[in-house]
Amino acid sequence: AQRVTQPEKLLSVFKGAPVELKCNYSYSGSPELFWYVQYSRQRLQLLLRHISRESIKGFTADLNKGETSFHLKKPFAQEEDSAMYYCALRPYSSASKIIFGSGTRLSIRP
Amino acid sequence: DVKVTQSSRYLVKRTGEKVFLECVQDMDHENMFWYRQDPGLGLRLIYFSYDVKMKEKGDIPEGYSVSREKKERFSLILESASTNQTSMYLCASRFQGKGEAFFGQGTRLTVV
């Protein structure tokens, strides 16, 4: 079965500290992976996708096929990073379906 | 700029009522989705549609149905609302075969 697991419901770090939001997936093929973010009172939006290999707002994520992980990292947290973060997977076997994890709330303390 | 618009931001309905949640997108996307968002459970896929009049069940379709008569509009129907359907409902759309999904602002439904 296809599944996305985010083991932390809440992650609280101090401003300036490194951040790592964990994401593990189960899928037998090669998926497309994403991180979405939802800031307070805003709609869910794409943060980054693994095929782009880009850094957005200082965040990066590397796909590790051996560990089936796609952790989101930022070296120095900022207060405006406080939000809900969702990891998501699109199986290449399906043209349409996107599966989300349960989400991690990131709280940055001043 | 892609726009996905959900017809209501907040809805309060009574148990047993038939409820319609509407979603419209203006970017000619083939795929449209309905998710419900609950704390601790994340986004769970209810139904998705890969083209007009085409639909597939997601992970939690029980108690819901959908309609896609026009490409831009995807409706979620609660045939007989129940209190356990109180939730935030999110609509999304995207191009077929292209990864990113664009989301609406959400409809917070309360069933009393």
Side-chain angles (χ1 to χ4, degrees):
Chain A
Q2 301 142 3
R3 184 174 292 165
V4 177
T5 302
Q6 293 180 251
E8 303 136 331
K9 282 190 163 68
L10 172 66
L11 185 63
S12 182
V13 302
F14 283 105
K15 179 181 170 182
V19 172
E20 183 179 44
L21 297 163
K22 291 186 169 42
C23 173
N24 289 90
Y25 66 90
S26 60
Y27 178 60
S28 56
S30 293
E32 189 174 8
L33 287 154
F34 310 85
W35 277 98
Y36 281 80
V37 61
Q38 190 169 29
Y39 301 104
S40 180
R41 300 175 196 269
Q42 293 187 28
R43 63 184 67 196
L44 199 62
Q45 59 188 286
L46 180 70
L47 180 62
L48 53 80
R49 47 198 296 193
H50 88 273
I51 61 172
S52 301
R53 295 183 170 273
E54 57 194 345
S55 173
I56 304 292
K57 299 185 180 183
F59 284 97
T60 58
D62 290 318
L63 175 58
N64 185 323
K65 290 185 179 179
E67 295 182 0
T68 59
S69 68
F70 187 56
H71 303 327
L72 183 69
K73 299 177 184 178
K74 185 170 182 176
F76 307 105
Q78 297 171 295
E79 287 186 67
E80 55 265 32
D81 296 329
S82 293
M84 195 75 184
Y85 291 79
Y86 292 95
C87 183
L89 172 155
R90 183 180 75 83
Y92 276 120
S93 63
S94 165
S96 302
K97 198 171 178 177
I98 301 179
I99 301 157
F100 285 81
S102 55
T104 298
R105 181 165 296 284
L106 178 63
S107 174
I108 308 301
R109 291 176 281 177
Chain B
D1 205 23
V2 176
K3 246 206 180 119
V4 181
T5 305
Q6 295 181 228
S7 54
S8 304
R9 193 70 200 262
Y10 300 95
L11 272 180
V12 180
K13 296 291 181 180
R14 294 195 181 278
T15 302
E17 273 193 79
K18 190 167 186 176
V19 181
F20 293 86
L21 302 183
E22 307 285 350
C23 175
V24 176
Q25 50 94 4
D26 65 358
M27 282 300 291
D28 205 35
H29 286 165
E30 293 87 1
N31 301 161
M32 295 188 76
F33 309 81
W34 276 106
Y35 292 90
R36 62 177 283 177
Q37 184 182 32
D38 299 288
L41 297 176
L43 273 72
R44 292 180 292 166
L45 183 62
I46 304 171
Y47 267 97
F48 64 101
S49 168
Y50 45 93
D51 212 333
V52 177
K53 296 190 189 294
M54 310 300 277
K55 61 186 179 185
E56 279 196 33
K57 292 179 180 179
D59 299 318
I60 51 163
E62 297 79 18
Y64 303 94
S65 61
V66 290
S67 172
R68 184 116 181 253
E69 295 297 316
K70 293 186 177 181
K71 193 172 188 179
E72 67 269 20
R73 187 179 297 270
F74 191 36
S75 304
L76 179 70
I77 304 153
L78 286 66
E79 296 290 341
S80 176
S82 64
T83 54
N84 62 13
Q85 292 178 309
T86 291
S87 187
M88 173 68 87
Y89 289 87
L90 298 182
C91 175
S93 71
R94 71 176 181 91
F95 286 115
Q96 178 85 2
K98 294 184 183 179
E100 179 185 356
F102 294 88
F103 281 83
Q105 78 278 25
T107 297
R108 183 165 292 284
L109 173 67
T110 303
V111 183
V112 298

